[in-house]
Amino acid sequence: PTRLYNPDFSWEINKKLEVALEMGFLSDRIFFTLAFYRNKSSNQLVGIPLPGTTGFSSINANLNATVQNSGMEFTLRTVNFENANFKWSTNFNISASNNKLLSFPGLEGSTYSNRYVIGESTSIVKTYQFKGVNPQTGLYEVEDVNKDGMITSLGDKKTVVDLTPQYFGGFENQFQYKNWHLDFLFQFVKQQNYDYNPNVPGGSFFNQHSDMANAWQHAGDQVSFQMNTTGENGDAINAYYNYLDSNAPIVDASFIRLKNIALSYDLPLQTIKGVHCKLSLLGQNVLTFTPYKGGDPEFKYTAYLPPLRIITAGVQLTF
């Protein structure tokens, strides 16, 4: 751990717990590992935000908080079949991790008061509670938590959403039949993430969801999206930004992706001694299965390219 030098500073040593188990059966044809960890740390060196009037955005200081990180990791390797002509093996892994803010003295009076909650993850976001589209006005509505008749970030952003993935892992198979080799890897993640934001007001140059064809138009419409606006309707614009700050755009972004697949063939060259030839066909990000509609579930930002699908063919000669 790193700390600022201060002779009067009391330092709490990090506390770690790690437990692991490895077991193999049938001459390790079935082999698995199971690991659990828990780590408590405090006084992390971070950039503490400063008001803009100071001329600096942050200052390095020790954060007066205690955070617990814990998780589990499991791996399994099996040799399913093996003889002179055919081999098949499988690898599987899954991990789950989470953290929790255990204590933060003076949190309510700090610059982090509207960001962290004792007992919750440090990856949370505080949002408005979305109520839907008012069928009479055609505008998005969020809950007025403190019942003061106004929607404010400090008073009404009380819904906590944890964006930490629940679990993630991979599933790989390797096949070999004589001179043929086939490998493929599936990646999977169980998570929530922000959806691509539709209904951008002001006629901005953004792609829209096809569902926007069913946006609110007349009083009594029971729809999921508010009225469209060119930017002249101030109430619609305010409602749109409240929608963005609510829990409505946070959706199921879980996915299963065929991350890598490779097929190769060792071409026999019996007439040319000492020369080895290998033909290969490789694919990356070939298929993705997901309920997420906003582009790519792993990279939600519209200013960046998602993982590209890449197909590569090659010939390798070894002398």
Side-chain angles (χ1 to χ4, degrees):
T2 306
R3 57 159 291 183
L4 296 176
Y5 176 73
N6 185 339
D8 298 323
F9 190 82
S10 60
W11 180 253
E12 179 180 338
I13 301 298
N14 288 351
K15 300 176 181 178
K16 296 182 179 180
L17 171 64
E18 297 180 358
V19 179
L21 173 67
E22 292 186 356
M23 296 189 70
F25 303 92
L26 303 176
S27 300
D28 288 344
R29 293 176 65 93
I30 301 175
F31 186 86
F32 74 87
T33 66
L34 178 64
F36 171 81
Y37 64 90
R38 186 175 64 193
N39 175 31
K40 293 182 181 180
S41 59
S42 63
N43 300 310
Q44 302 86 356
L45 185 60
V46 299
I48 304 295
L50 292 177
T53 54
T54 64
F56 300 91
S57 60
S58 65
I59 183 174
N60 287 336
N62 290 99
L63 185 64
N64 190 21
T66 301
V67 178
Q68 174 179 284
N69 293 282
S70 59
M72 177 275 297
E73 298 176 352
F74 174 78
T75 65
L76 173 66
R77 184 185 74 241
T78 60
V79 179
N80 306 312
F81 193 88
E82 186 175 21
N83 62 23
N85 293 323
F86 181 69
K87 296 179 181 179
W88 172 26
S89 62
T90 299
N91 291 283
F92 173 80
N93 70 84
I94 186 171
S95 300
S97 60
N98 61 80
N99 65 8
K100 182 185 295 186
L101 182 62
L102 299 181
S103 66
F104 194 149
L107 174 61
E108 293 301 322
S110 73
T111 54
Y112 295 100
S113 60
N114 204 34
R115 180 177 174 184
Y116 296 135
V117 176
I118 303 296
E120 297 286 352
S121 167
T122 57
S123 299
I124 64 168
V125 290
K126 286 186 175 182
T127 69
Y128 297 122
Q129 178 62 45
F130 185 64
K131 296 174 61 177
V133 177
N134 188 311
Q136 300 305 315
T137 64
L139 301 178
Y140 291 131
E141 289 188 336
V142 297
E143 186 175 353
D144 182 8
V145 177
N146 59 6
K147 309 300 181 182
D148 63 352
M150 298 183 296
I151 300 298
T152 61
S153 176
L154 185 61
D156 300 310
K157 276 189 176 180
K158 301 300 182 183
T159 299
V160 174
V161 181
D162 188 357
L163 298 181
T164 305
Q166 294 184 31
Y167 56 83
F168 54 91
F171 178 70
E172 179 186 25
N173 276 277
Q174 298 176 332
F175 299 90
Q176 179 181 349
Y177 176 68
K178 295 185 177 180
N179 292 352
W180 290 94
H181 300 262
L182 174 65
D183 301 341
F184 61 85
L185 169 65
F186 281 96
Q187 170 195 10
F188 60 88
V189 180
K190 176 64 174 178
Q191 65 177 359
Q192 294 187 97
N193 210 339
Y194 279 93
D195 195 5
Y196 174 76
N197 298 317
N199 199 19
V200 179
S204 302
F205 295 102
F206 289 94
N207 292 327
Q208 302 289 318
H209 273 306
S210 59
D211 295 338
M212 287 308 302
N214 299 319
W216 186 93
Q217 297 185 41
H218 307 289
D221 286 349
Q222 302 287 336
V223 292
S224 299
F225 297 118
Q226 74 167 14
M227 66 171 65
N228 288 298
T229 175
T230 60
E232 299 298 325
N233 188 330
D235 291 337
I237 293 176
N238 290 335
Y240 167 74
Y241 286 113
N242 287 340
Y243 165 88
L244 292 185
D245 287 336
S246 74
N247 59 339
I250 301 176
V251 298
D252 184 3
S254 305
F255 66 92
I256 300 175
R257 172 171 286 154
L258 180 54
K259 190 68 176 177
N260 295 295
I261 184 169
L263 177 65
S264 64
Y265 177 69
D266 292 325
L267 186 65
L269 297 175
Q270 299 178 356
T271 59
I272 308 176
K273 294 184 179 180
V275 178
H276 178 75
C277 181
K278 182 178 182 180
L279 308 178
S280 60
L281 182 64
L282 300 91
Q284 293 182 333
N285 306 311
V286 179
L287 294 171
T288 302
F289 306 94
T290 179
Y292 187 75
K293 296 182 179 180
D296 187 85
E298 190 174 8
F299 298 89
K300 67 183 180 64
Y301 298 104
T302 57
Y304 300 90
L305 284 174
L308 299 178
R309 180 182 300 163
I310 301 174
I311 306 297
T312 305
V315 178
Q316 180 182 1
L317 290 173
T318 304
F319 300 91

